[in-house]
Amino acid sequence: MVIRVCGLMLGAAATAMIARLLQPEKFGEYSFVLAVMTILSMPLAFGLRQTLVREIAYARAHAGTGHSRQIWTWALHRAIWATGVFAVALAVWIAWGINDTDLQWHMALGLGIYVLLPAPKLLSGVLHGMGHTVQSQFPEHVLRPVLTIVVLASVWIASDPAALSVSAALLIFSLALVADAALSVALLKRGSDFRFWPQIQGQAKTTRSRDLTISTLSFGAIASVQLINNNLDIVMLGILSTDAQVGLYNAAAVLSTIAVFGLGAVNTVIMPQIAKLHAEGNSAELQATITKAARIITVFGIGGAAITWVFGRHLLILIFDSSYEGAFWALVILTFGQLANACFGPVALILNMTGHQTLTLIGVSTSVLVNAALNLALVPRYGMEGAAVATAVSLVIWNGLLAVALKRRTGYSSSIL
């Protein structure tokens, strides 16, 4: 919880500094490049990370240290090959598919970010699956924003604040990713006897490659749909509206996550626990863990939403500046959706960690179709407020579908009762 609070505040501070230095139009382009690269890269990184967490937790339940090393080696090989292939395809598109010179250069920098993004995710997945929950979160939620703030503050002090360009902001993001991965490696080597390269040749292979590939593809597909759902509003605003609207909306989206702070923190803690309890067949303790988690998440969700609704306008001005005040109503709408997301509890996580990731995929796929249709209908007329409505409705739909599927398939309930 402490790391999540620090991460929330530090992340908001870093985003606010970038927003102030770039101003809405350039901040919108910066957000657009990151959104595109995240959508393209995270399915692989997320899929492999989820597989690592679940399979290493399963191995812990059965004292399978050697199996954990096999899983890591398998994931590393898949990450290198897949990232390399898609990076080449992306480079071709940037070189010949983009006519705007400035955007082409910014997307080229984004390509470097695309190559770097999987490494921190995979390393944190190993730490997380081995039960090092705090260490797995520290690089992303503390080191990365702190480093970003330090570099941005140096730029702010040493030069004209308006001198920060989109290119410089993207390079700073890349530097933070490298530092994240480096610290994860250090923590993993220090906190366990885990070896990155097995000394015995036979340990480098696993007989479950097909099963692991299917799980990774399923998790990757879920990540793809969720990322599309989470970033579709920004991308469609960038296409159907102005860069300034994108910048304002992104500020609102960042603040709306206060309502799901508890969800992210609790999910991080219980993820390996749910997988381990499921592998042990301990249903009673598993349901008790879910219920406790749901209650904590709901309390934090209600408190976060209340803060956003009451003080949202002041927070936008305080954290960003007065030019972002126009994002208030989008913030209010997005917070309704995030509160619903919190009140449904860790429903997707439970399905994923108990081997029912296909049901998660069906639920989120349905919601993204609704989100796309609502964005097309509402953004041209209502701008960022229309995008906020589309996102909020899609969050309610996919959580509701998953809650019903969880109860019917497993008998578990993700509610507070």
Side-chain angles (χ1 to χ4, degrees):
M1 284 292 185
V2 170
I3 286 182
R4 281 287 177 167
V5 170
C6 291
L8 181 66
M9 293 189 297
L10 292 170
T15 302
M17 291 182 71
I18 293 175
R20 283 176 176 268
L21 289 168
L22 292 177
Q23 290 300 298
E25 185 171 354
K26 289 197 292 183
F27 183 58
E29 186 171 352
Y30 167 83
S31 301
F32 180 78
V33 172
L34 285 187
V36 171
M37 293 304 158
T38 300
I39 290 174
L40 293 175
S41 67
M42 290 306 288
L44 170 67
F46 182 86
L48 288 173
R49 187 188 190 281
Q50 293 287 87
T51 300
L52 282 167
V53 173
R54 190 179 71 182
E55 295 298 325
I56 290 176
Y58 285 176
R60 286 177 58 224
H62 301 292
T65 304
H67 179 61
S68 297
R69 295 170 185 161
Q70 293 173 0
I71 298 298
W72 160 252
T73 305
W74 175 89
L76 181 62
H77 290 166
R78 295 304 183 276
I80 292 172
W81 280 103
T83 301
V85 170
F86 283 105
V88 171
L90 185 57
V92 171
W93 172 66
I94 292 172
W96 284 282
I98 299 177
N99 296 322
D100 186 299
T101 305
D102 289 339
L103 180 59
Q104 188 178 51
W105 169 242
H106 295 153
M107 292 296 287
L109 292 174
L111 177 60
I113 293 174
Y114 170 81
V115 173
L116 292 172
L117 275 170
K121 288 293 182 183
L122 267 62
L123 292 165
S124 68
V126 176
L127 282 165
H128 201 175
M130 295 182 70
H132 303 303
T133 304
V134 173
Q135 294 92 323
S136 71
Q137 302 304 302
F138 186 84
E140 179 180 356
H141 296 289
V142 178
L143 174 67
R144 194 188 297 182
V146 165
L147 181 60
T148 302
I149 291 171
V150 169
V151 175
L152 289 172
S154 301
V155 172
W156 202 327
I157 295 171
S159 64
D160 180 5
L164 184 70
S165 64
V166 175
S167 299
L170 292 171
L171 288 173
I172 292 170
F173 188 89
S174 301
L175 174 64
L177 285 177
V178 173
D180 183 338
L183 180 58
S184 295
V185 170
L187 290 173
L188 190 55
K189 293 182 70 174
R190 178 182 179 183
S192 68
D193 61 351
F194 189 85
R195 295 186 181 92
F196 289 97
W197 300 102
Q199 294 179 339
I200 302 175
Q201 183 66 27
Q203 289 181 340
K205 298 180 179 179
T206 175
T207 58
R208 298 183 57 244
S209 179
R210 182 176 179 275
D211 293 338
L212 294 175
T213 300
I214 292 174
S215 294
T216 300
L217 290 175
S218 298
F219 287 134
I222 292 169
S224 298
V225 177
Q226 286 181 320
L227 283 168
I228 290 171
N229 214 22
N230 293 339
N231 293 280
L232 188 63
D233 41 13
I234 293 177
V235 173
M236 294 192 74
L237 270 175
I239 296 172
L240 300 174
S241 188
T242 65
D243 285 341
Q245 284 264 299
V246 175
L248 291 171
Y249 184 86
N250 195 37
V254 170
L255 278 183
S256 70
T257 58
I258 293 175
V260 286
F261 158 74
L263 177 64
V266 173
N267 277 359
T268 300
V269 174
I270 67 172
M271 182 186 294
Q273 293 182 15
I274 288 176
K276 187 170 182 291
L277 290 171
H278 175 69
E280 294 171 347
N282 195 341
S283 300
E285 187 173 349
L286 179 53
Q287 180 60 71
T289 300
I290 294 169
T291 303
K292 292 176 183 178
R295 291 171 180 172
I296 295 172
I297 292 167
T298 301
V299 169
F300 274 94
I302 293 172
I307 291 172
T308 302
W309 290 329
V310 175
F311 302 106
R313 194 183 302 275
H314 302 290
L315 289 172
L316 284 168
I317 296 173
L318 177 64
I319 296 175
F320 301 96
D321 63 37
S322 58
S323 63
Y324 288 87
E325 185 179 359
F328 174 69
W329 287 110
L331 172 62
V332 170
I333 297 167
L334 285 170
T335 303
F336 272 107
Q338 295 292 6
L339 177 59
N341 191 16
C343 290
F344 275 103
V347 56
L349 177 69
I350 302 165
L351 286 169
N352 292 343
M353 291 298 104
T354 55
H356 297 92
Q357 59 269 14
T358 303
L359 297 176
T360 304
L361 179 59
I362 294 172
V364 296
S365 297
T366 302
S367 70
V368 79
L369 294 176
V370 174
N371 194 7
L374 288 175
N375 268 290
L376 285 172
L378 299 176
V379 168
R381 184 171 182 179
Y382 299 104
M384 59 182 171
E385 287 80 9
V389 170
T391 299
V393 171
S394 70
L395 285 171
V396 173
I397 288 175
W398 82 265
N399 275 282
L401 291 173
L402 295 188
V404 172
L406 176 66
K407 186 65 176 179
R408 289 183 176 179
R409 184 60 62 92
T410 68
Y412 297 125
S413 172
S414 63
S415 70
I416 62 175
L417 301 177

